[in-house]
């Protein structure tokens, strides 16, 4: 299937590591120009070199997205380099454990600020250019906002707001033929996840326990599987899909666990 992404330009926030890295690579392999915007400078620069090596073009922007003016700068530099923006992948995020019992109003506000605000800002500053290209937006959220996790109010609230904004923007931007969709991952091995799993006494046993609860294949989702769905949603092959929340999770959230246990 030709996704017709060659020569188009996409911005991936947090695009140098984990899920974002897989999305950046998949886009580059489709011949797209990729702007990798995030904190991980060395990884971002190395990724752009890799893209050039396979004949694609990239731009690494070293940025803390929660700082004032950060997103506006990302859009400005992307336009200066590539002259158009065909899509935004809002992906950068961190499960920071700002909860109720072990949190505080200050930690909650900080979590919302670092996890949510840049999703809005990126789209706000890119909008004039997305209107020109009839671009596409993908928000990477998390199952946490529909299942709860406990101890992480700020992250869960941010992720919930991201899927609400997905519907809200899908309505507001439909007249411009700009599509907006969300992906809700569950268990994906990334640098962030690796740090989290290592907080347990016996990470390997914990991993086995988690994988056993995933209906399809009793295994975790790969970053590449999230990337595949993202790139499809960015492409015109999904031209009539908007406002959707895609659970790329091996059936974790929706399938009947009792039945699955019987057959699995
Ligand atoms: P990751 O391995 O930590 O990669 C995220 C990248 O984004 C890192 O380079 C990180 O920089 C950067 N970043 C995060 N916040 C940033 C900010 N405010 N400004 C600039 N850069 C920032 O994370 P991941 O697991 O791939 O997660 C990607 C997205 O998927 C997140 O939105 C997360 O909530 C969501 N998700 C992941 C899972 C999972 O199982 N992995 C499950 C559900 C949802 P640093 O390395 O410096 O922090």
């Amino acid at each position: 299937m030709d996704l017709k992404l060659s020569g188009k330009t996409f911005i991936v926030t947090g695009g140098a590591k984990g899920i974002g890295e897989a999305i950046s690579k998949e886009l580059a392999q489709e011949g797209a120009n990729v702007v990798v915007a995030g904190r991980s400078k060395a990884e971002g620069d190395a990724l752009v070199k890799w893209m050039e090596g396979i004949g694609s073009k990239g731009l690494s922007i070293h940025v803390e997205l929660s700082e004032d003016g950060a997103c506006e700068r990302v859009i400005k530099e992307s336009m200066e380099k590539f002259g158009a923006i065909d899509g935004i992948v809002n992906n950068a995020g961190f499960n920071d454990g700002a909860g109720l019992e072990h949190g505080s109003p200050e930690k909650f506000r900080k979590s919302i600020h670092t996890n949510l605000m840049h999703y809005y800002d990126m789209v706000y500053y890119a909008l004039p250019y997305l209107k020109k290209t009839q671009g596409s937006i993908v928000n990477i959220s998390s199952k946490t906002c529909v299942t709860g996790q406990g101890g992480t109010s700020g992250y869960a609230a941010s992720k919930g707001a991201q899927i609400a904004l997905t519907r809200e923007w899908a309505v507001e931007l439909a007249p411009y033929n700009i599509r907006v969709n969300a992906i809700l991952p569950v268990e994906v091995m990334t640098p962030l996840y690796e740090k989290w799993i290592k907080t347990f006494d016996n990470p390997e046993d914990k991993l086995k326990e988690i994988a056993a609860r995933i209906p399809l294949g009793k295994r975790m989702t790969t970053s590449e599987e999230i990337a595949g769905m993202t790139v499809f949603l960015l492409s015109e092959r999904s031209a009539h899909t908007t406002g959707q929340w895609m659970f790329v999770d091996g059936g974790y959230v929706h399938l009947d666990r009792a039945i699955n246990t019987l057959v699995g």
Side-chain angles (χ1 to χ4, degrees):
M1 185 191 282
D2 180 5
L3 296 176
K4 301 183 183 170
L5 295 174
S6 184
K8 292 191 171 180
T9 300
F10 299 93
I11 301 173
V12 185
T13 68
K17 278 190 190 171
I19 291 171
E21 179 187 3
I23 295 169
S24 299
K25 282 186 166 169
E26 194 69 41
L27 283 168
Q29 277 161 342
E30 292 294 324
N33 309 318
V34 187
V35 178
V36 179
R39 283 196 292 247
S40 310
K41 181 171 174 10
E43 291 85 350
D45 293 351
L47 191 52
V48 166
K49 276 218 172 93
W50 176 87
M51 288 171 188
E52 288 164 357
I54 62 162
S56 276
K57 291 184 195 138
L59 173 67
S60 168
I61 302 180
H62 183 220
V63 65
E64 166 52 62
L65 293 156
S66 62
E67 282 176 2
D68 286 351
C71 297
E72 191 174 9
R73 172 164 79 84
V74 170
I75 300 303
K76 187 168 168 283
E77 289 181 17
S78 303
M79 283 303 294
E80 280 166 5
K81 170 90 178 175
F82 293 118
I85 297 170
D86 296 274
I88 302 280
V89 182
N90 274 321
N91 163 75
F94 174 56
N95 193 344
D96 48 14
L100 274 175
E101 285 186 294
H102 302 290
S104 68
E106 292 70 33
K107 283 183 185 162
F108 179 76
R109 279 173 183 71
K110 186 167 181 243
S111 177
I112 299 279
H113 190 71
T114 46
N115 279 306
L116 175 61
M117 303 310 250
H118 56 85
Y119 275 52
Y120 176 90
D121 290 1
M122 287 298 299
V123 172
Y124 176 84
Y125 289 111
L127 192 54
Y129 312 112
L130 291 171
K131 283 182 182 172
K132 283 189 190 153
T133 55
Q134 303 192 346
S136 175
I137 298 162
V138 176
N139 291 323
I140 306 294
S141 173
S142 165
K143 66 100 182 165
T144 311
C145 68
V146 291
T147 62
Q149 182 178 307
T152 195
S153 307
Y155 180 74
S158 300
K159 293 294 164 191
Q162 289 162 12
I163 62 171
L165 289 174
T166 297
R167 289 269 155 87
E168 166 65 12
W169 295 342
V171 173
E172 182 167 339
L173 302 181
Y176 304 105
N177 206 26
I178 296 172
R179 297 177 300 105
V180 191
N181 293 287
I183 295 179
L184 288 81
V186 175
E187 312 284 359
V188 189
M189 187 52 74
T190 64
L192 175 70
Y193 195 97
E194 216 173 324
K195 252 185 246 166
W196 174 75
I197 203 78
K198 281 184 180 156
T199 62
F200 293 91
D201 286 342
N202 198 333
E204 281 190 14
D205 286 352
K206 185 71 189 169
L207 257 186
K208 275 187 201 146
E209 190 190 305
I210 290 168
R213 280 192 239 120
I214 299 168
L216 194 62
K218 308 281 183 211
R219 65 165 178 87
M220 295 181 60
T221 309
T222 66
S223 290
E224 289 69 28
E225 287 164 335
I226 305 290
M229 177 61 82
T230 307
V231 169
F232 172 69
L233 290 172
L234 290 171
S235 81
E236 65 181 58
R237 293 294 181 171
S238 60
H240 218 211
T241 302
T242 194
Q244 297 303 306
W245 304 339
M246 305 292 190
F247 291 78
V248 183
D249 66 353
Y252 183 98
V253 172
H254 290 95
L255 299 191
D256 186 321
R257 307 257 173 98
I259 289 174
N260 193 264
T261 306
L262 291 177
V263 298

